[in-house]
Amino acid sequence: MKNEFIDLSVKLQKVLGKEGLFVIPFEEPGLPFFSSLTSEQKDVILEQMQTLLEIAQDLQAHNLKVTEPANLIRTFFRKFNLNAPSRVVDSITRHDIVDVWNLDSRLIIASFNFFDICTYSLEELFCRPWAELFSRDNDIHIQIYQLCRSLLNGEITQPVDTTYIPQHKVRETYAPEKHYAVLQPRIFSPVYAGDKLFGFMSVNRIIKLEPEKVLRLLDE
């Protein structure tokens, strides 16, 4: 399984590198974080990486940018027969980070421009809990957590305008540098598989990045 992870992570690095995204596959060849997982967890991660790679290759084969979040989400939804209100997907811009979560609160996919705001390796992002990797102010965390629970419980059935949640810093907990992004939550929406609730998606606007090494997308 280690060799399969190494192969997929290097392929993802090359695909994303074609569009100017610098991604580190892993820090240590022994893959300490991947190795610590159960066989079932490893299978899930390898399947997730394979899906991302196939989607990225498919987009590039059709001359579409993988760094455009709307392209990725539309292709992902089409591949797995998922849907969200079209007005939500149509509102996504290149300055937005989009992620999709299932009913088990597991991250299923995140737009590739996420790599603009973090310095973690693919191994860390796929194999470590995101709650450990990133931090935000507790008040903001509580607001977002409560909203996510309401979406996953089916209490909220329509997209929510989340611009009432203030802009805030999201920091890398374990990053050696003082690296953070300022995000503005925009829309949280249920995602459906047919008429059944699959999970939810969130759309967050990138307002600022520090250090300012990846502002190329914001300046275009």
Side-chain angles (χ1 to χ4, degrees), residues 17-194:
K18 292 178 180 178
E19 296 186 27
L21 281 179
F22 176 72
V23 178
I24 301 171
F26 47 84
E27 297 284 358
E28 300 178 27
L31 305 182
F33 303 114
F34 183 75
S35 299
S36 68
L37 302 176
T38 66
S39 294
E40 183 179 357
Q41 289 172 323
K42 291 175 182 176
D43 284 337
V44 169
I45 287 169
L46 292 174
E47 182 180 356
Q48 190 175 19
M49 293 177 69
Q50 182 65 43
T51 296
L52 281 173
L53 180 61
E54 289 174 0
I55 289 174
Q57 291 173 330
D58 181 59
L59 286 170
Q60 290 182 341
H62 290 85
N63 296 315
L64 296 172
K65 290 184 175 295
V66 302
T67 47
E68 291 282 355
N71 290 341
L72 182 74
I73 295 303
R74 287 193 182 98
T75 304
F76 175 73
F77 279 5
R78 198 160 49 242
K79 184 178 179 69
F80 292 99
N81 296 314
L82 302 176
N83 65 86
S86 59
R87 67 181 183 277
V88 176
V89 179
D90 291 344
S91 75
I92 297 171
T93 76
R94 70 178 64 186
H95 307 314
D96 293 319
I97 292 175
V98 185
D99 42 61
V100 178
W101 303 75
N102 69 8
L103 292 177
D104 296 322
S105 300
R106 184 168 69 86
L107 179 69
I108 301 302
I109 193 169
S111 54
F112 287 121
N113 62 340
F114 177 80
F115 295 111
D116 273 344
I117 74 165
C118 78
T119 59
Y120 290 121
S121 68
L122 287 173
E123 184 194 7
E124 289 174 291
L125 289 171
F126 278 104
C127 303
R128 303 181 70 178
W130 280 34
E132 294 179 6
L133 295 177
F134 302 96
S135 63
R136 51 165 60 94
D137 290 344
N138 193 53
D139 289 346
I140 300 294
H141 173 76
I142 291 172
Q143 287 187 69
I144 293 176
Y145 175 80
Q146 291 174 338
L147 175 58
C148 293
R149 293 316 309 167
S150 295
L151 284 160
L152 293 174
N153 291 337
E155 298 170 18
I156 297 176
T157 59
Q158 294 295 322
V160 178
D161 181 339
T162 52
T163 53
Y164 69 89
I165 299 175
Q167 295 179 12
H168 58 277
K169 291 181 180 179
V170 177
R171 297 183 179 277
E172 293 185 330
T173 309
Y174 296 102
E177 300 178 1
K178 295 292 185 181
H179 191 75
Y180 69 85
V182 177
L183 300 183
Q184 171 63 65
R186 289 189 54 237
I187 307 172
F188 279 53
S189 172
V191 173
Y192 293 94

